[in-house]
Every structure is written in C-alpha cells, then in structure tokens.
Amino acid sequence: MIILDFLFYYLVLFTKNIDRRTVKTVSYPEHVSYLLGILLLIWLMTINGVIEFFLFNTFISKVPGLIFIILALLFMALLRYIYIKKGRFNRIMEKSEPRFKVSDKTGIIISVSFFFSSVAIFMLTAVILHKLK
C-alpha cells in the first residue's frame, strides 16, 4: 500500500502544479484516483496477456473487454473510497516533512515516469508477444 500512497500523493502534487490556471471542478485526489485506477488496469491487462500467451499460446485475450472495463471502474471506486472517503489522503498530508524521504520534485518525477513507463511496458509487451506468435 505504501507504493500506492507514494504514487497518490505525488500525482496529486503533479496535477496541482499543472492545473494552476483552470477552474477546479473536481478535486485533485479524485483525478488521481481515476488515473491510478487506469494504471492498475494497465498492469492487470499486461499480466493477463502474458499469462494467456504462455498458457494458451494465443495473442488475443479470451477475457471479454467488458470485464476489464468493470474492473477499472471498481478500481477507481475503491481508490476513491479509500483515499477520499476514508481520509487516507488526509492522513498522508498530516505526516511530517519529508513524507516519503524524497523531495517533492523527485517524487513527482518518479511517479510520472512510473505511470508513463507502465504504459510503455504494456505496449512493448503487446508488440513482443505478437512477434513471438
């Protein structure tokens, strides 16, 4: 859970930094809960693709796409419930400085690079498994 706390906190800081001039309609933690829900779904789809490739020797997933959409919505709702409704994000904010033993800039760089590398790993896995087929 510490990894999700780290990503959640620094992605909230990142969205606050890039969204200074616009009118705030949705809270930043809510944006990040959606973003982390998508990130968890990407990792789940990557793991599913690798497992299905090696077990069934097929590149096309046998799991319906609707299942992945429902799981993504559940991940988003669960993260929103844990971090916003239950107040986990507020408890993270109340910790003393530095919260995760790194500076804010370093944490933002790590979190954003983790997000984009996860997307890149998903795409590379798809390309590699397609070439192996």
Side-chain angles (χ1 to χ4, degrees):
M1 198 69 174
I2 191 82
I3 295 171
L4 283 177
D5 290 347
F6 181 87
L7 290 172
F8 198 90
Y9 175 73
Y10 286 111
L11 286 173
V12 167
L13 283 182
F14 178 69
T15 54
K16 280 184 181 177
N17 288 341
I18 63 169
D19 200 22
R20 288 185 191 155
R21 291 183 235 144
T22 60
V23 178
K24 187 174 124 176
T25 56
V26 179
S27 69
Y28 298 114
E30 212 163 312
H31 281 292
V32 173
S33 65
Y34 301 146
L35 186 69
L36 282 180
I38 292 170
L39 184 71
L40 288 173
L41 178 70
I42 287 172
W43 278 104
L44 182 70
M45 288 175 67
T46 303
I47 292 168
N48 175 54
V50 169
I51 289 173
E52 282 193 4
F53 180 78
F54 287 114
L55 287 181
F56 304 120
N57 198 18
T58 180
F59 179 70
I60 299 170
S61 178
K62 296 191 184 310
V63 178
L66 184 63
I67 301 291
F68 288 119
I69 293 171
I70 291 170
L71 282 174
L73 293 173
L74 286 174
F75 285 148
M76 291 175 195
L78 183 66
L79 288 169
R80 207 168 130 228
Y81 176 75
I82 291 171
Y83 283 99
I84 298 169
K85 303 275 190 235
K86 285 293 195 178
R88 187 169 179 94
F89 181 67
N90 291 333
R91 287 193 299 266
I92 294 170
M93 293 295 289
E94 292 170 356
K95 287 183 183 178
S96 62
E97 294 285 336
R99 288 177 178 82
F100 293 98
K101 297 185 178 24
V102 295
S103 68
D104 287 346
K105 189 170 187 163
T106 304
I108 289 172
I109 290 170
I110 291 170
S111 297
V112 171
S113 62
F114 181 77
F115 178 75
F116 286 115
S117 65
S118 296
V119 174
I121 287 171
F122 175 68
M123 291 181 197
L124 285 174
T125 303
V127 169
I128 291 170
L129 292 179
H130 186 66
K131 291 290 182 182
L132 289 176
K133 180 85 171 118

